[in-house]
Amino acid sequence: RKEVEQDPGPFNVPEGATVAFNCTYSNSASQSFFWYRQDCRKEPKLLMSVYSSGNEDGRFTAQLNRASQYISLLIRDSKLSDSATYLCVVTRTISNFGNEKLTFGTGTRLTIIP
Amino acid sequence: EPEVTQTPSHQVTQMGQEVILRCVPISNHLYFYWYRQILGQKVEFLVSFYNNEISEKSEIFDDQFSVERPDGSNFTLKIRSTKLEDSAMYFCASSQTGYSGNTIYFGEGSWLTVV
């Protein structure tokens, strides 16, 4: 089983629509959870952290369900600039010095259609 | 905003040649990482580095790979004898502190093509 699984998509969504991405992770020792965004041939950029209580940042809402090992991202009122690959990322501390290891999903490709 | 910088942005090398990818982490950061992404695949962890030594490495990071922080500012990844399958985007990353939830900043990547 993959450590982090995402639907690869692609999701082709009209501008203004709401789109939801899901992700599951297999390692129950995972400690922190994030959504990153990656544009074509660019570096991953942190979009938002994900908490069990749910968190919102403008049009973006993220949710974590630790019991189900499930993470979600909701994008409302999608914009053309939201077109990107969305990466589900889980982390855990891998050394006594505090180094973290990020484990990435394969990403979900989103294209917003005008 | 401070950033992680990487050079070169793109390098083409012949199979069997040595390659050094360079990174300048954010100045007050203490934890350093290399990740790679083969075209069309996911981002994969290679190695983490703290206090001038490797703290963890993946199975990808075999004897052909090494990392170094030669002068207190640069952080390098060396591939001794490149193979075709080393062709990938290599991302350097750094963070100020360790442990869970700390933001890790990525550089723009070095695209390595082995021919």
Side-chain angles (χ1 to χ4, degrees):
Chain A
R1 185 183 169 187
K2 289 180 186 175
E3 280 198 71
V4 180
E5 288 207 62
Q6 294 182 251
D7 181 344
F11 283 50
N12 299 314
V13 171
E15 196 174 2
T18 295
V19 60
F21 302 135
N22 303 316
C23 165
T24 57
Y25 61 96
S26 60
N27 190 340
S28 58
S30 300
Q31 294 160 297
S32 296
F33 309 89
F34 303 93
W35 284 100
Y36 276 72
R37 170 197 169 122
Q38 187 175 32
D39 294 295
C40 190
R41 300 204 178 208
K42 298 285 190 183
E43 76 275 23
K45 289 188 175 174
L46 179 64
L47 181 65
M48 60 196 303
S49 303
V50 190
Y51 306 111
S52 298
S53 53
N55 50 304
E56 192 173 307
D57 183 1
R59 298 181 292 108
F60 299 84
T61 301
Q63 185 75 52
L64 165 67
N65 184 323
R66 281 190 184 267
S68 304
Q69 296 182 193
Y70 173 92
I71 305 163
S72 65
L73 176 69
L74 186 77
I75 306 175
R76 289 182 299 279
D77 187 23
S78 51
K79 312 286 185 199
L80 295 176
S81 56
D82 294 335
S83 295
T85 297
Y86 290 82
L87 308 175
C88 179
V89 180
V90 304
T91 77
R92 60 185 176 85
T93 303
I94 54 173
S95 79
N96 292 332
F97 305 110
N99 301 73
E100 288 190 84
K101 176 185 174 183
L102 274 62
T103 301
F104 288 78
T106 50
T108 300
R109 181 85 179 267
L110 172 67
T111 301
I112 305 300
I113 303 164
Chain B
E1 182 178 304
E3 57 183 22
V4 177
T5 57
Q6 289 186 241
T7 54
S9 56
H10 189 191
Q11 181 163 351
V12 180
T13 190
Q14 287 201 320
M15 194 168 54
Q17 294 296 303
E18 177 183 283
V19 159
I20 298 176
L21 305 178
R22 291 183 168 80
C23 169
V24 179
I26 296 172
S27 62
N28 62 347
H29 284 192
L30 301 175
Y31 296 80
F32 313 112
Y33 306 86
W34 284 100
Y35 285 78
R36 81 168 186 191
Q37 186 175 30
I38 295 170
L39 188 63
Q41 297 187 23
K42 65 178 183 177
V43 178
E44 299 174 289
F45 169 78
L46 290 179
V47 65
S48 66
F49 191 87
Y50 172 76
N51 199 29
N52 284 318
E53 53 184 54
I54 290 173
S55 47
E56 182 77 16
K57 58 184 180 179
S58 72
E59 58 275 9
I60 303 168
F61 195 90
D62 61 21
D63 292 344
Q64 293 300 312
F65 291 86
S66 62
V67 289
E68 199 176 36
R69 190 156 158 79
D71 56 12
S73 62
N74 290 286
F75 179 51
T76 62
L77 174 69
K78 183 193 290 187
I79 309 174
R80 264 181 270 283
S81 177
T82 49
K83 307 183 188 69
L84 295 176
E85 55 265 36
D86 294 327
S87 295
M89 179 77 95
Y90 289 82
F91 294 108
C92 175
S94 70
S95 64
Q96 185 175 29
T97 62
Y99 298 102
S100 192
N102 184 55
T103 301
I104 294 178
Y105 295 85
F106 284 83
E108 292 188 345
S110 293
W111 183 251
L112 176 65
T113 303
V114 182
V115 296

